[in-house]
Each structure stands twice: as C-alpha cells, then as structure tokens.
PDB file of all heavy atoms in Angstrom:
ATOM      1  N   ARG A   1       0.226   4.233 -13.359  1.00 93.00           N
ATOM      2  CA  ARG A   1      -0.859   4.815 -14.071  1.00 93.00           C
ATOM      3  C   ARG A   1      -1.635   5.903 -13.189  1.00 93.00           C
ATOM      4  O   ARG A   1      -2.710   6.233 -13.632  1.00 93.00           O
ATOM      5  CB  ARG A   1      -1.780   3.724 -14.499  1.00 93.00           C
ATOM      6  CG  ARG A   1      -1.217   2.734 -15.461  1.00 93.00           C
ATOM      7  CD  ARG A   1      -0.715   3.393 -16.743  1.00 93.00           C
ATOM      8  NE  ARG A   1      -0.260   2.401 -17.782  1.00 93.00           N
ATOM      9  CZ  ARG A   1       0.941   1.889 -17.873  1.00 93.00           C
ATOM     10  NH1 ARG A   1       1.900   2.385 -17.040  1.00 93.00           N
ATOM     11  NH2 ARG A   1       1.282   1.102 -18.803  1.00 93.00           N
ATOM     12  N   ASP A   2      -1.032   6.353 -12.110  1.00 93.00           N
ATOM     13  CA  ASP A   2      -1.638   7.393 -11.251  1.00 93.00           C
ATOM     14  C   ASP A   2      -2.957   6.845 -10.572  1.00 93.00           C
ATOM     15  O   ASP A   2      -3.826   7.775 -10.490  1.00 93.00           O
ATOM     16  CB  ASP A   2      -1.675   8.747 -11.993  1.00 93.00           C
ATOM     17  CG  ASP A   2      -1.842   9.860 -11.029  1.00 93.00           C
ATOM     18  OD1 ASP A   2      -1.332   9.689  -9.806  1.00 93.00           O
ATOM     19  OD2 ASP A   2      -2.480  10.848 -11.259  1.00 93.00           O
ATOM     20  N   ARG A   3      -3.165   5.571 -10.417  1.00 95.00           N
ATOM     21  CA  ARG A   3      -4.308   5.120  -9.829  1.00 95.00           C
ATOM     22  C   ARG A   3      -3.984   4.735  -8.374  1.00 95.00           C
ATOM     23  O   ARG A   3      -3.994   3.454  -8.022  1.00 95.00           O
ATOM     24  CB  ARG A   3      -4.807   3.928 -10.623  1.00 95.00           C
ATOM     25  CG  ARG A   3      -5.157   4.307 -12.167  1.00 95.00           C
ATOM     26  CD  ARG A   3      -5.816   3.265 -12.930  1.00 95.00           C
ATOM     27  NE  ARG A   3      -7.191   3.057 -12.519  1.00 95.00           N
ATOM     28  CZ  ARG A   3      -8.073   2.233 -13.059  1.00 95.00           C
ATOM     29  NH1 ARG A   3      -7.635   1.475 -14.012  1.00 95.00           N
ATOM     30  NH2 ARG A   3      -9.258   2.104 -12.589  1.00 95.00           N
ATOM     31  N   GLU A   4      -3.735   5.739  -7.584  1.00 95.00           N
ATOM     32  CA  GLU A   4      -3.237   5.547  -6.233  1.00 95.00           C
ATOM     33  C   GLU A   4      -4.243   4.704  -5.273  1.00 95.00           C
ATOM     34  O   GLU A   4      -3.840   3.915  -4.402  1.00 95.00           O
ATOM     35  CB  GLU A   4      -2.948   6.862  -5.614  1.00 95.00           C
ATOM     36  CG  GLU A   4      -1.828   7.617  -6.317  1.00 95.00           C
ATOM     37  CD  GLU A   4      -0.440   7.122  -5.813  1.00 95.00           C
ATOM     38  OE1 GLU A   4      -0.303   6.382  -4.911  1.00 95.00           O
ATOM     39  OE2 GLU A   4       0.518   7.572  -6.520  1.00 95.00           O
ATOM     40  N   LEU A   5      -5.497   5.055  -5.489  1.00 96.00           N
ATOM     41  CA  LEU A   5      -6.490   4.394  -4.596  1.00 96.00           C
ATOM     42  C   LEU A   5      -6.634   2.862  -4.927  1.00 96.00           C
ATOM     43  O   LEU A   5      -6.505   2.121  -4.001  1.00 96.00           O
ATOM     44  CB  LEU A   5      -7.957   5.021  -4.927  1.00 96.00           C
ATOM     45  CG  LEU A   5      -9.094   4.500  -4.066  1.00 96.00           C
ATOM     46  CD1 LEU A   5      -8.886   5.031  -2.597  1.00 96.00           C
ATOM     47  CD2 LEU A   5     -10.399   4.949  -4.553  1.00 96.00           C
ATOM     48  N   LEU A   6      -6.620   2.562  -6.227  1.00 96.00           N
ATOM     49  CA  LEU A   6      -6.596   1.082  -6.496  1.00 96.00           C
ATOM     50  C   LEU A   6      -5.306   0.465  -6.212  1.00 96.00           C
ATOM     51  O   LEU A   6      -5.289  -0.725  -5.803  1.00 96.00           O
ATOM     52  CB  LEU A   6      -6.803   0.999  -8.076  1.00 96.00           C
ATOM     53  CG  LEU A   6      -6.879  -0.429  -8.550  1.00 96.00           C
ATOM     54  CD1 LEU A   6      -7.933  -1.246  -8.011  1.00 96.00           C
ATOM     55  CD2 LEU A   6      -6.989  -0.430 -10.160  1.00 96.00           C
ATOM     56  N   ALA A   7      -4.159   1.192  -6.266  1.00 96.00           N
ATOM     57  CA  ALA A   7      -2.868   0.635  -5.924  1.00 96.00           C
ATOM     58  C   ALA A   7      -2.891   0.237  -4.439  1.00 96.00           C
ATOM     59  O   ALA A   7      -2.415  -0.895  -4.066  1.00 96.00           O
ATOM     60  CB  ALA A   7      -1.734   1.658  -6.186  1.00 96.00           C
ATOM     61  N   GLY A   8      -3.387   1.137  -3.547  1.00 96.00           N
ATOM     62  CA  GLY A   8      -3.410   0.780  -2.176  1.00 96.00           C
ATOM     63  C   GLY A   8      -4.370  -0.425  -1.832  1.00 96.00           C
ATOM     64  O   GLY A   8      -4.069  -1.293  -1.011  1.00 96.00           O
ATOM     65  N   PHE A   9      -5.438  -0.477  -2.622  1.00 97.00           N
ATOM     66  CA  PHE A   9      -6.374  -1.649  -2.424  1.00 97.00           C
ATOM     67  C   PHE A   9      -5.632  -2.883  -2.864  1.00 97.00           C
ATOM     68  O   PHE A   9      -5.779  -3.948  -2.113  1.00 97.00           O
ATOM     69  CB  PHE A   9      -7.631  -1.445  -3.188  1.00 97.00           C
ATOM     70  CG  PHE A   9      -8.650  -2.434  -3.019  1.00 97.00           C
ATOM     71  CD1 PHE A   9      -9.574  -2.441  -1.949  1.00 97.00           C
ATOM     72  CD2 PHE A   9      -8.717  -3.607  -3.990  1.00 97.00           C
ATOM     73  CE1 PHE A   9     -10.523  -3.333  -1.763  1.00 97.00           C
ATOM     74  CE2 PHE A   9      -9.648  -4.607  -3.724  1.00 97.00           C
ATOM     75  CZ  PHE A   9     -10.639  -4.568  -2.641  1.00 97.00           C
ATOM     76  N   VAL A  10      -5.058  -2.943  -4.000  1.00 96.00           N
ATOM     77  CA  VAL A  10      -4.295  -4.131  -4.391  1.00 96.00           C
ATOM     78  C   VAL A  10      -3.180  -4.541  -3.405  1.00 96.00           C
ATOM     79  O   VAL A  10      -3.098  -5.696  -3.187  1.00 96.00           O
ATOM     80  CB  VAL A  10      -3.773  -3.887  -5.809  1.00 96.00           C
ATOM     81  CG1 VAL A  10      -2.831  -5.028  -6.270  1.00 96.00           C
ATOM     82  CG2 VAL A  10      -4.853  -3.714  -6.905  1.00 96.00           C
ATOM     83  N   LEU A  11      -2.545  -3.553  -2.911  1.00 96.00           N
ATOM     84  CA  LEU A  11      -1.439  -3.940  -1.914  1.00 96.00           C
ATOM     85  C   LEU A  11      -2.028  -4.703  -0.700  1.00 96.00           C
ATOM     86  O   LEU A  11      -1.546  -5.597  -0.100  1.00 96.00           O
ATOM     87  CB  LEU A  11      -0.691  -2.740  -1.563  1.00 96.00           C
ATOM     88  CG  LEU A  11       0.429  -2.901  -0.505  1.00 96.00           C
ATOM     89  CD1 LEU A  11       1.533  -3.671  -1.210  1.00 96.00           C
ATOM     90  CD2 LEU A  11       1.046  -1.576  -0.113  1.00 96.00           C
ATOM     91  N   SER A  12      -3.218  -4.203  -0.330  1.00 96.00           N
ATOM     92  CA  SER A  12      -3.870  -4.749   0.843  1.00 96.00           C
ATOM     93  C   SER A  12      -4.168  -6.243   0.725  1.00 96.00           C
ATOM     94  O   SER A  12      -4.298  -6.986   1.621  1.00 96.00           O
ATOM     95  CB  SER A  12      -5.113  -3.969   1.321  1.00 96.00           C
ATOM     96  OG  SER A  12      -6.104  -4.246   0.371  1.00 96.00           O
ATOM     97  N   LEU A  13      -4.442  -6.718  -0.600  1.00 96.00           N
ATOM     98  CA  LEU A  13      -4.795  -8.051  -0.764  1.00 96.00           C
ATOM     99  C   LEU A  13      -3.681  -8.993  -0.454  1.00 96.00           C
ATOM    100  O   LEU A  13      -3.830 -10.211  -0.267  1.00 96.00           O
ATOM    101  CB  LEU A  13      -5.162  -8.300  -2.238  1.00 96.00           C
ATOM    102  CG  LEU A  13      -6.310  -7.434  -2.743  1.00 96.00           C
ATOM    103  CD1 LEU A  13      -6.675  -7.743  -4.209  1.00 96.00           C
ATOM    104  CD2 LEU A  13      -7.610  -7.718  -1.906  1.00 96.00           C
ATOM    105  N   ALA A  14      -2.439  -8.472  -0.306  1.00 95.00           N
ATOM    106  CA  ALA A  14      -1.298  -9.347   0.087  1.00 95.00           C
ATOM    107  C   ALA A  14      -1.105  -9.408   1.519  1.00 95.00           C
ATOM    108  O   ALA A  14      -0.085  -9.962   2.137  1.00 95.00           O
ATOM    109  CB  ALA A  14       0.022  -8.756  -0.623  1.00 95.00           C
ATOM    110  N   LEU A  15      -2.158  -8.922   2.338  1.00 94.00           N
ATOM    111  CA  LEU A  15      -2.007  -8.988   3.737  1.00 94.00           C
ATOM    112  C   LEU A  15      -2.184 -10.437   4.253  1.00 94.00           C
ATOM    113  O   LEU A  15      -1.984 -10.746   5.540  1.00 94.00           O
ATOM    114  CB  LEU A  15      -3.166  -8.202   4.377  1.00 94.00           C
ATOM    115  CG  LEU A  15      -2.805  -6.678   4.611  1.00 94.00           C
ATOM    116  CD1 LEU A  15      -4.197  -5.961   4.890  1.00 94.00           C
ATOM    117  CD2 LEU A  15      -1.807  -6.532   5.708  1.00 94.00           C
ATOM    118  N   TYR A  16      -2.379 -11.421   3.437  1.00 94.00           N
ATOM    119  CA  TYR A  16      -2.400 -12.786   3.832  1.00 94.00           C
ATOM    120  C   TYR A  16      -1.011 -13.137   4.486  1.00 94.00           C
ATOM    121  O   TYR A  16      -0.784 -14.110   5.284  1.00 94.00           O
ATOM    122  CB  TYR A  16      -2.624 -13.785   2.687  1.00 94.00           C
ATOM    123  CG  TYR A  16      -1.622 -13.808   1.684  1.00 94.00           C
ATOM    124  CD1 TYR A  16      -0.476 -14.767   1.804  1.00 94.00           C
ATOM    125  CD2 TYR A  16      -1.532 -12.995   0.480  1.00 94.00           C
ATOM    126  CE1 TYR A  16       0.457 -14.819   0.855  1.00 94.00           C
ATOM    127  CE2 TYR A  16      -0.559 -13.151  -0.490  1.00 94.00           C
ATOM    128  CZ  TYR A  16       0.461 -14.043  -0.327  1.00 94.00           C
ATOM    129  OH  TYR A  16       1.492 -14.044  -1.213  1.00 94.00           O
ATOM    130  N   LYS A  17       0.054 -12.333   4.053  1.00 92.00           N
ATOM    131  CA  LYS A  17       1.349 -12.475   4.678  1.00 92.00           C
ATOM    132  C   LYS A  17       1.843 -11.102   5.074  1.00 92.00           C
ATOM    133  O   LYS A  17       2.355 -10.411   4.266  1.00 92.00           O
ATOM    134  CB  LYS A  17       2.298 -13.221   3.745  1.00 92.00           C
ATOM    135  CG  LYS A  17       3.742 -13.463   4.282  1.00 92.00           C
ATOM    136  CD  LYS A  17       4.568 -14.330   3.412  1.00 92.00           C
ATOM    137  CE  LYS A  17       5.856 -14.640   4.049  1.00 92.00           C
ATOM    138  NZ  LYS A  17       6.722 -15.436   3.129  1.00 92.00           N
ATOM    139  N   ILE A  18       1.593 -10.836   6.284  1.00 91.00           N
ATOM    140  CA  ILE A  18       1.844  -9.440   6.821  1.00 91.00           C
ATOM    141  C   ILE A  18       3.247  -8.884   6.539  1.00 91.00           C
ATOM    142  O   ILE A  18       3.389  -7.711   6.285  1.00 91.00           O
ATOM    143  CB  ILE A  18       1.440  -9.330   8.315  1.00 91.00           C
ATOM    144  CG1 ILE A  18      -0.046  -9.534   8.481  1.00 91.00           C
ATOM    145  CG2 ILE A  18       1.819  -7.957   8.868  1.00 91.00           C
ATOM    146  CD1 ILE A  18      -0.481  -9.597   9.903  1.00 91.00           C
ATOM    147  N   THR A  19       4.276  -9.791   6.589  1.00 90.00           N
ATOM    148  CA  THR A  19       5.626  -9.323   6.349  1.00 90.00           C
ATOM    149  C   THR A  19       5.876  -8.812   5.023  1.00 90.00           C
ATOM    150  O   THR A  19       6.705  -8.020   4.779  1.00 90.00           O
ATOM    151  CB  THR A  19       6.711 -10.403   6.749  1.00 90.00           C
ATOM    152  OG1 THR A  19       6.203 -11.554   5.943  1.00 90.00           O
ATOM    153  CG2 THR A  19       6.550 -10.702   8.183  1.00 90.00           C
ATOM    154  N   LEU A  20       5.099  -9.239   4.081  1.00 90.00           N
ATOM    155  CA  LEU A  20       5.192  -8.815   2.747  1.00 90.00           C
ATOM    156  C   LEU A  20       4.839  -7.274   2.535  1.00 90.00           C
ATOM    157  O   LEU A  20       5.471  -6.507   1.741  1.00 90.00           O
ATOM    158  CB  LEU A  20       4.325  -9.539   1.748  1.00 90.00           C
ATOM    159  CG  LEU A  20       4.801 -10.924   1.312  1.00 90.00           C
ATOM    160  CD1 LEU A  20       3.858 -11.454   0.217  1.00 90.00           C
ATOM    161  CD2 LEU A  20       6.235 -10.752   0.519  1.00 90.00           C
ATOM    162  N   VAL A  21       3.857  -6.922   3.243  1.00 93.00           N
ATOM    163  CA  VAL A  21       3.329  -5.494   3.064  1.00 93.00           C
ATOM    164  C   VAL A  21       3.436  -4.461   4.172  1.00 93.00           C
ATOM    165  O   VAL A  21       3.165  -3.351   4.013  1.00 93.00           O
ATOM    166  CB  VAL A  21       1.775  -5.618   2.614  1.00 93.00           C
ATOM    167  CG1 VAL A  21       1.583  -6.430   1.386  1.00 93.00           C
ATOM    168  CG2 VAL A  21       0.929  -6.250   3.786  1.00 93.00           C
ATOM    169  N   ALA A  22       3.924  -4.960   5.334  1.00 93.00           N
ATOM    170  CA  ALA A  22       3.886  -4.049   6.493  1.00 93.00           C
ATOM    171  C   ALA A  22       4.764  -2.860   6.325  1.00 93.00           C
ATOM    172  O   ALA A  22       4.393  -1.735   6.500  1.00 93.00           O
ATOM    173  CB  ALA A  22       4.381  -4.849   7.745  1.00 93.00           C
ATOM    174  N   ILE A  23       6.006  -3.099   5.818  1.00 95.00           N
ATOM    175  CA  ILE A  23       6.909  -1.868   5.590  1.00 95.00           C
ATOM    176  C   ILE A  23       6.404  -1.161   4.379  1.00 95.00           C
ATOM    177  O   ILE A  23       6.466   0.140   4.532  1.00 95.00           O
ATOM    178  CB  ILE A  23       8.434  -2.481   5.474  1.00 95.00           C
ATOM    179  CG1 ILE A  23       8.817  -3.081   6.758  1.00 95.00           C
ATOM    180  CG2 ILE A  23       9.251  -1.306   5.008  1.00 95.00           C
ATOM    181  CD1 ILE A  23      10.200  -3.623   6.698  1.00 95.00           C
ATOM    182  N   PRO A  24       6.091  -1.654   3.232  1.00 95.00           N
ATOM    183  CA  PRO A  24       5.623  -0.783   2.125  1.00 95.00           C
ATOM    184  C   PRO A  24       4.394   0.054   2.580  1.00 95.00           C
ATOM    185  O   PRO A  24       4.209   1.258   2.252  1.00 95.00           O
ATOM    186  CB  PRO A  24       5.310  -1.743   0.993  1.00 95.00           C
ATOM    187  CG  PRO A  24       6.171  -2.976   1.289  1.00 95.00           C
ATOM    188  CD  PRO A  24       6.317  -3.087   2.729  1.00 95.00           C
ATOM    189  N   ALA A  25       3.483  -0.568   3.346  1.00 95.00           N
ATOM    190  CA  ALA A  25       2.232   0.137   3.797  1.00 95.00           C
ATOM    191  C   ALA A  25       2.605   1.229   4.685  1.00 95.00           C
ATOM    192  O   ALA A  25       2.132   2.391   4.622  1.00 95.00           O
ATOM    193  CB  ALA A  25       1.299  -0.837   4.422  1.00 95.00           C
ATOM    194  N   PHE A  26       3.550   1.007   5.620  1.00 96.00           N
ATOM    195  CA  PHE A  26       4.003   2.039   6.491  1.00 96.00           C
ATOM    196  C   PHE A  26       4.680   3.184   5.721  1.00 96.00           C
ATOM    197  O   PHE A  26       4.503   4.438   6.138  1.00 96.00           O
ATOM    198  CB  PHE A  26       5.066   1.493   7.528  1.00 96.00           C
ATOM    199  CG  PHE A  26       5.551   2.486   8.496  1.00 96.00           C
ATOM    200  CD1 PHE A  26       4.714   3.238   9.331  1.00 96.00           C
ATOM    201  CD2 PHE A  26       6.966   2.572   8.609  1.00 96.00           C
ATOM    202  CE1 PHE A  26       5.190   4.118  10.170  1.00 96.00           C
ATOM    203  CE2 PHE A  26       7.440   3.453   9.616  1.00 96.00           C
ATOM    204  CZ  PHE A  26       6.536   4.243  10.379  1.00 96.00           C
ATOM    205  N   MET A  27       5.349   2.912   4.677  1.00 96.00           N
ATOM    206  CA  MET A  27       6.012   4.004   3.879  1.00 96.00           C
ATOM    207  C   MET A  27       4.930   4.745   3.127  1.00 96.00           C
ATOM    208  O   MET A  27       5.257   6.028   2.897  1.00 96.00           O
ATOM    209  CB  MET A  27       7.001   3.389   2.889  1.00 96.00           C
ATOM    210  CG  MET A  27       8.168   2.729   3.574  1.00 96.00           C
ATOM    211  SD  MET A  27       8.901   3.721   4.880  1.00 96.00           S
ATOM    212  CE  MET A  27       9.546   2.512   5.929  1.00 96.00           C
ATOM    213  N   LEU A  28       3.836   4.265   2.755  1.00 95.00           N
ATOM    214  CA  LEU A  28       2.783   4.977   2.160  1.00 95.00           C
ATOM    215  C   LEU A  28       2.214   5.978   3.183  1.00 95.00           C
ATOM    216  O   LEU A  28       1.940   7.165   2.836  1.00 95.00           O
ATOM    217  CB  LEU A  28       1.570   4.108   1.793  1.00 95.00           C
ATOM    218  CG  LEU A  28       1.631   3.133   0.592  1.00 95.00           C
ATOM    219  CD1 LEU A  28       0.459   2.221   0.471  1.00 95.00           C
ATOM    220  CD2 LEU A  28       1.851   3.938  -0.664  1.00 95.00           C
ATOM    221  N   LEU A  29       2.146   5.670   4.407  1.00 95.00           N
ATOM    222  CA  LEU A  29       1.752   6.544   5.509  1.00 95.00           C
ATOM    223  C   LEU A  29       2.832   7.719   5.741  1.00 95.00           C
ATOM    224  O   LEU A  29       2.476   8.789   5.797  1.00 95.00           O
ATOM    225  CB  LEU A  29       1.562   5.836   6.682  1.00 95.00           C
ATOM    226  CG  LEU A  29       0.868   6.527   7.936  1.00 95.00           C
ATOM    227  CD1 LEU A  29      -0.505   6.916   7.549  1.00 95.00           C
ATOM    228  CD2 LEU A  29       0.755   5.636   9.101  1.00 95.00           C
ATOM    229  N   CYS A  30       4.034   7.249   5.770  1.00 95.00           N
ATOM    230  CA  CYS A  30       5.208   8.257   5.996  1.00 95.00           C
ATOM    231  C   CYS A  30       5.330   9.258   4.732  1.00 95.00           C
ATOM    232  O   CYS A  30       5.526  10.384   4.990  1.00 95.00           O
ATOM    233  CB  CYS A  30       6.504   7.532   6.107  1.00 95.00           C
ATOM    234  SG  CYS A  30       6.643   6.564   7.605  1.00 95.00           S
ATOM    235  N   GLY A  31       5.027   8.659   3.640  1.00 93.00           N
ATOM    236  CA  GLY A  31       5.072   9.586   2.406  1.00 93.00           C
ATOM    237  C   GLY A  31       3.751  10.326   2.070  1.00 93.00           C
ATOM    238  O   GLY A  31       3.703  11.080   1.161  1.00 93.00           O
ATOM    239  N   ARG A  32       2.786  10.190   3.046  1.00 93.00           N
ATOM    240  CA  ARG A  32       1.523  10.879   2.959  1.00 93.00           C
ATOM    241  C   ARG A  32       0.836  10.664   1.618  1.00 93.00           C
ATOM    242  O   ARG A  32       0.226  11.666   1.058  1.00 93.00           O
ATOM    243  CB  ARG A  32       1.716  12.428   3.246  1.00 93.00           C
ATOM    244  CG  ARG A  32       2.082  12.694   4.696  1.00 93.00           C
ATOM    245  CD  ARG A  32       2.791  13.957   4.864  1.00 93.00           C
ATOM    246  NE  ARG A  32       4.269  13.835   4.250  1.00 93.00           N
ATOM    247  CZ  ARG A  32       5.104  14.785   4.274  1.00 93.00           C
ATOM    248  NH1 ARG A  32       4.825  15.906   4.796  1.00 93.00           N
ATOM    249  NH2 ARG A  32       6.310  14.585   3.791  1.00 93.00           N
ATOM    250  N   ARG A  33       0.911   9.443   1.253  1.00 93.00           N
ATOM    251  CA  ARG A  33       0.196   9.044   0.006  1.00 93.00           C
ATOM    252  C   ARG A  33      -1.295   8.687   0.356  1.00 93.00           C
ATOM    253  O   ARG A  33      -1.670   7.529   0.546  1.00 93.00           O
ATOM    254  CB  ARG A  33       0.851   7.899  -0.700  1.00 93.00           C
ATOM    255  CG  ARG A  33       2.324   8.042  -0.848  1.00 93.00           C
ATOM    256  CD  ARG A  33       2.729   9.316  -1.636  1.00 93.00           C
ATOM    257  NE  ARG A  33       2.199   9.259  -2.964  1.00 93.00           N
ATOM    258  CZ  ARG A  33       2.290  10.276  -3.858  1.00 93.00           C
ATOM    259  NH1 ARG A  33       2.863  11.405  -3.436  1.00 93.00           N
ATOM    260  NH2 ARG A  33       1.820  10.140  -5.039  1.00 93.00           N
ATOM    261  N   TRP A  34      -2.021   9.680   0.668  1.00 95.00           N
ATOM    262  CA  TRP A  34      -3.334   9.475   1.313  1.00 95.00           C
ATOM    263  C   TRP A  34      -4.312   8.718   0.583  1.00 95.00           C
ATOM    264  O   TRP A  34      -5.099   7.837   1.137  1.00 95.00           O
ATOM    265  CB  TRP A  34      -3.994  10.870   1.745  1.00 95.00           C
ATOM    266  CG  TRP A  34      -3.056  11.689   2.675  1.00 95.00           C
ATOM    267  CD1 TRP A  34      -2.555  12.885   2.440  1.00 95.00           C
ATOM    268  CD2 TRP A  34      -2.509  11.189   3.884  1.00 95.00           C
ATOM    269  NE1 TRP A  34      -1.861  13.302   3.537  1.00 95.00           N
ATOM    270  CE2 TRP A  34      -1.715  12.222   4.394  1.00 95.00           C
ATOM    271  CE3 TRP A  34      -2.637  10.034   4.591  1.00 95.00           C
ATOM    272  CZ2 TRP A  34      -1.004  12.221   5.641  1.00 95.00           C
ATOM    273  CZ3 TRP A  34      -1.931  10.025   5.864  1.00 95.00           C
ATOM    274  CH2 TRP A  34      -1.160  11.007   6.300  1.00 95.00           C
TER     275      TRP A  34
END
C-alpha cells in the first residue's frame, strides 16, 4: 500500500526474535528504502 514508514515500524515489532528480522532489515538498508 506504499506505506513504507509504517512497514518499517511494523517490522521492528518482531525484534523480540532478532533472527526473524535481522536479514530483512539489513536488506532495507542495502536497498536504500529510507
């Protein structure tokens, strides 16, 4: 839905288990999805 800011926030809520989100979060950075 092109709600990138909210998408990133929602993804961070899964940080309770770092292995779930570490690689996807790193790819956001590599893809420059600021």
Side-chain angles (χ1 to χ4, degrees):
R1 297 300 188 269
D2 198 30
R3 303 188 69 177
E4 297 278 351
L5 186 68
L6 181 60
F9 184 86
V10 168
L11 183 64
S12 73
L13 299 181
L15 275 168
Y16 70 86
K17 186 172 182 178
I18 293 176
T19 53
L20 279 180
V21 298
I23 293 176
F26 181 54
M27 297 311 149
L28 288 176
L29 191 63
C30 293
R32 289 155 291 181
R33 312 302 298 176
W34 301 123

